[in-house]
Amino acid sequence: MMILRRSAKCSWMSRLHDKKIRKILVIGLPYFAEITAKRLSVFDSTCKYIPIDSSANIWGALKFAVNIWNADIVYMIGGSATCGGALRLSLLLRKHIIMHWVGTDVIEAKKNIQSGNSNKKLITYARHFCDAPWLQEELHGIGIEASLKYLSCIDNEPKIEPLPPKFLILSYVGKGRESFYGIEKLIAIAERFPQIPIEISTLETYKHNLPKNIRLLGFVPSLKEKMKECVLFLRLPEHDGFPFTIIEAMEIGRYVAYIHELPGVFKPNTKEDLFEYIEQLYAKYSIGLLEPNYSGFEYVRNNHSAAGVIGNLMQSLKVQNDDK
C-alpha cells in the first residue's frame, strides 16, 4: 500500500507540474517581440509570454531583472554573438535562452565572430532558431546551427484585393540606411519609368534630389493598408531575413520583387531583370490583362497562417534542454 500511495503521489505531483504555467520573457527587437508575444498568447494558455524591451531604458532593464528570477525561458527575437546585460544575467541564472535570428543580426554576428569578439559560451549554451532558409545557411557558415522557424504569418484568412485604378509601386527604405535598403535601385526605376509613381514608406527626406515620380511617405501607420493602393511591392535591401511586409503584400494579391527566391515572388538578378519585369507587369496592366498575384496569395495561405506558424513556434519553445 505504501508503494501504491507513493506512486499515486508522484503521479499527482507530475500532473501538477505539467499544469504549471511557465513564464517566457520575450526580448530583442521591440516591435517583433510585442507582436509575437501577443500571437503566442492567443494560441497557448500554458505559458505566460511577457514582452520586455530590456535595452530601452532603466525601466525596461529593471522590469527584466524583476521578471527573470522566476522565468523559465528567455526568448530573444534577434540573435546576438555577444552578451548584453539581459543575456549576461540569463546566463548567470542558467535560464533557458532561445535566440531567433531574423536578418541584420546575422551580419553583426559574422563580424563579431571573425574579429574574436563573440561569446562562445553564449553561442553554445543558447538554442537557435532562424526565420529564413538563407539565414540558416549563413549561420551554419559561422558555426551556429539554427532550426528554421518562421515568424511571418497572417492572423486572418487572406483575401484578394482588386488591383488599384492606377499602377503604383510601393517600397520601404529605413531612415539612415538608404543605400542598404536600395534607394539607388528605386531611383533607377523611377528614371526608367517616369510614368509610374513610386512611393517609399518610412523615409521623410533624402540628401539628394529625387525624380518627380518618387514620393516619400514618412511613417505609415499601416503599411498593409497602404499596399492596397499598389500593384507592385519592392523589397530590395542588401541583406534580409523573412520580412512581414512580403507576406502582407502577397496575402492581398500584390506582386512582389525581392532579393530572395520564394513562390509567387520575382527575384531579379540584375537591374535589367527588374526593368523587364516591371515593363511586363505595366504592359499587361495598361490593357486590362493583369490579374492579382494568385500564386503568391496561395503560397501565403498554405504556408503562413498564424495557426501553422505560431503553433509550430509554440511547440518548439516548449522543447527545453534539461541538461543546461
Side-chain angles (χ1 to χ4, degrees), residues 86-323:
L87 289 176
R88 191 176 296 111
L89 184 56
S90 301
L91 275 176
L92 180 66
L93 298 177
R94 297 191 64 78
K95 298 297 181 178
H96 292 278
I97 299 173
I98 298 175
M99 292 187 189
H100 207 141
W101 299 82
V102 295
T104 309
D105 48 358
V106 179
I107 297 177
E108 292 302 312
K110 284 182 181 179
K111 292 178 182 177
N112 286 315
I113 289 173
Q114 290 168 358
S115 64
N117 292 326
S118 63
N119 187 311
K120 294 181 180 179
K121 180 181 178 181
L122 172 65
I123 294 171
T124 303
Y125 182 85
R127 289 173 59 213
H128 300 276
F129 299 160
C130 64
D131 79 337
W134 47 88
L135 294 183
Q136 190 176 39
E137 294 177 8
E138 288 183 60
L139 288 165
H140 176 75
I142 57 175
I144 298 175
E145 301 304 324
S147 302
L148 179 61
K149 305 293 175 187
Y150 291 118
L151 281 174
S152 300
C153 62
I154 52 175
D155 294 307
N156 303 306
E157 183 66 20
K159 178 186 176 183
I160 290 280
E161 295 286 344
L163 293 179
K166 69 176 180 180
F167 193 102
L168 183 142
I169 294 174
L170 179 65
S171 189
Y172 167 88
V173 171
K175 186 177 181 180
R177 305 183 71 199
E178 292 86 354
S179 292
F180 178 87
Y181 279 100
I183 193 166
E184 288 84 3
K185 298 172 187 174
L186 297 176
I187 292 172
I189 293 168
E191 292 173 343
R192 174 65 177 80
F193 301 97
Q195 76 280 22
I196 298 177
I198 299 174
E199 295 186 344
I200 301 174
S201 75
T202 304
L203 201 61
E204 298 175 348
T205 60
Y206 187 55
K207 58 185 177 181
H208 301 302
N209 292 330
L210 295 169
K212 292 182 179 180
N213 54 328
I214 288 183
R215 180 186 173 205
L216 304 182
L217 302 176
F219 173 72
V220 177
S222 175
L223 194 58
K224 183 177 177 180
E225 281 298 311
K226 187 66 181 175
M227 284 177 179
K228 294 178 182 179
E229 301 175 17
C230 80
V231 172
L232 173 63
F233 179 71
L234 299 179
R235 177 92 180 187
L236 305 171
E238 295 175 5
H239 183 277
D240 213 357
F242 200 131
F244 286 24
T245 52
I246 297 295
I247 297 301
E248 290 173 341
M250 288 196 289
E251 74 167 289
I252 61 171
R254 295 303 177 254
Y255 289 87
V256 174
Y258 185 46
I259 59 172
H260 292 292
E261 289 185 1
L262 288 169
V265 169
F266 177 75
K267 177 183 178 295
N269 294 314
T270 65
K271 183 170 65 176
E272 287 68 29
D273 285 347
L274 189 55
F275 288 169
E276 184 177 348
Y277 179 67
I278 295 172
E279 193 166 357
Q280 290 174 353
L281 289 181
Y282 185 73
K284 284 186 177 181
Y285 179 89
S286 298
I287 58 176
L289 295 180
L290 187 67
E291 296 184 335
N293 180 10
Y294 287 107
S295 61
F297 172 82
E298 290 298 331
Y299 167 72
V300 169
R301 184 168 67 175
N302 295 331
N303 296 278
H304 288 274
S305 68
V309 170
I310 301 301
N312 181 35
L313 177 60
M314 176 189 74
Q315 293 300 325
S316 299
L317 287 171
K318 291 182 177 182
V319 178
Q320 298 186 21
N321 295 329
D322 294 329
D323 59 337

